[in-house]
Amino acid sequence: MIFKIVFDKIAAFFGLIVLLPFILFVSMLIKIKMPEGPVFFIQRRVGQKGELFNMYKFRSMSISHGGSSISVKGESRITPLGAVLRKYKIDELPELLNVLIGNMSLVGPRPDVPGYADKLVGEDRKVLLLKPGITGPASLKYANEEELLALQDNPEKYNDEVIFPDKVRMNLEYYYNRSFWGDLEIIWKTVLR
């Protein structure tokens, strides 16, 4: 456990240093292409032991949108630049700051918004004992989640009845079978993706 924490912090620190020029470049692009609004999107998410924290991402949507907490490919609220950032998961790079702060890990269940975390009952709540991650087994399986949801007549219903329960199942499996070497494999597969 301590080894994972130390590894996360060292990897996040050096990751932020190495990626700093790219992060600055993306920040400038966002200010040029989406001048109204901030560079970063900050959202309250449910972390370890159910505690709320601010998760940092690059902003990929217009600031004047309303809408669901799930995103579907092709939505008008996602800007053209935002679509590229989301496709290649570049929007998630600022989460390295969350890892450095200590409220996220490199590998773990993706942090949910409060409404979804509230749906966890019984044994499923064990996933809240883990630090949420930038990537994980469910993230790899549903790397194309927005495209998958775009094919559905009712994306929110499909997410609630199919994707969310499957992610919970996979996160619980990760809870019971996690290991440092398994985390390294997940990180490697994420980078190759």
Side-chain angles (χ1 to χ4, degrees):
M1 182 66 158
I2 288 291
F3 188 69
K4 177 173 171 133
I5 293 169
V6 171
F7 175 79
D8 279 347
K9 287 188 179 288
I10 291 172
F13 178 76
F14 284 106
L16 285 167
I17 288 174
V18 170
L19 293 169
L20 185 60
F22 183 67
I23 289 170
L24 291 173
F25 173 72
V26 173
S27 299
M28 286 190 295
L29 270 182
I30 291 171
K31 284 313 287 182
I32 292 167
K33 296 289 187 181
M34 300 183 280
E36 291 184 22
V39 168
F40 298 104
F41 171 68
I42 303 170
Q43 187 178 45
R44 297 292 275 173
R45 295 288 181 104
V46 179
Q48 192 173 31
K49 299 178 183 173
E51 294 178 9
L52 294 177
F53 70 98
N54 289 329
M55 188 177 80
Y56 302 99
K57 298 178 82 167
F58 280 124
R59 183 169 63 88
S60 60
M61 296 184 181
S62 60
I63 59 168
S64 57
H65 75 80
S68 167
S69 61
I70 64 165
S71 303
V72 177
K73 184 179 180 183
E75 285 185 81
S76 60
R77 62 184 177 158
I78 301 173
T79 68
L81 173 61
V84 173
L85 297 179
R86 293 166 84 93
K87 179 179 180 180
Y88 296 103
K89 308 299 183 187
I90 296 167
D91 62 320
E92 296 180 7
L93 286 179
E95 291 169 33
L96 286 171
L97 182 59
N98 286 112
V99 177
L100 191 61
I101 291 168
N103 46 33
M104 284 184 71
S105 178
L106 292 176
V107 180
R110 287 294 295 165
D112 286 314
V113 294
Y116 277 97
D118 293 342
K119 295 179 181 181
L120 296 171
V121 294
E123 187 181 36
D124 291 347
R125 293 194 66 80
K126 285 186 176 179
V127 299
L128 293 176
L129 297 174
L130 300 169
K131 270 190 190 175
I134 294 177
T135 187
S139 299
L140 286 173
K141 180 175 180 179
Y142 290 104
N144 65 338
E145 183 176 335
E146 290 185 359
E147 291 88 347
L148 183 61
L149 289 170
L151 299 173
Q152 310 306 316
D153 292 332
N154 188 333
E156 197 157 347
K157 181 179 179 185
Y158 187 82
N159 180 71
D160 291 352
E161 295 179 359
V162 178
I163 295 178
F164 180 72
D166 191 37
K167 284 182 176 179
V168 171
R169 179 192 60 76
M170 294 183 77
N171 290 335
L172 196 59
E173 189 175 299
Y174 173 77
Y175 171 84
Y176 284 115
N177 300 298
R178 67 194 186 278
S179 70
F180 177 70
W181 297 111
D183 283 2
L184 288 182
E185 183 181 359
I186 291 167
I187 291 168
W188 179 243
K189 286 180 178 177
T190 301
V191 170
L192 289 179
R193 182 195 68 196

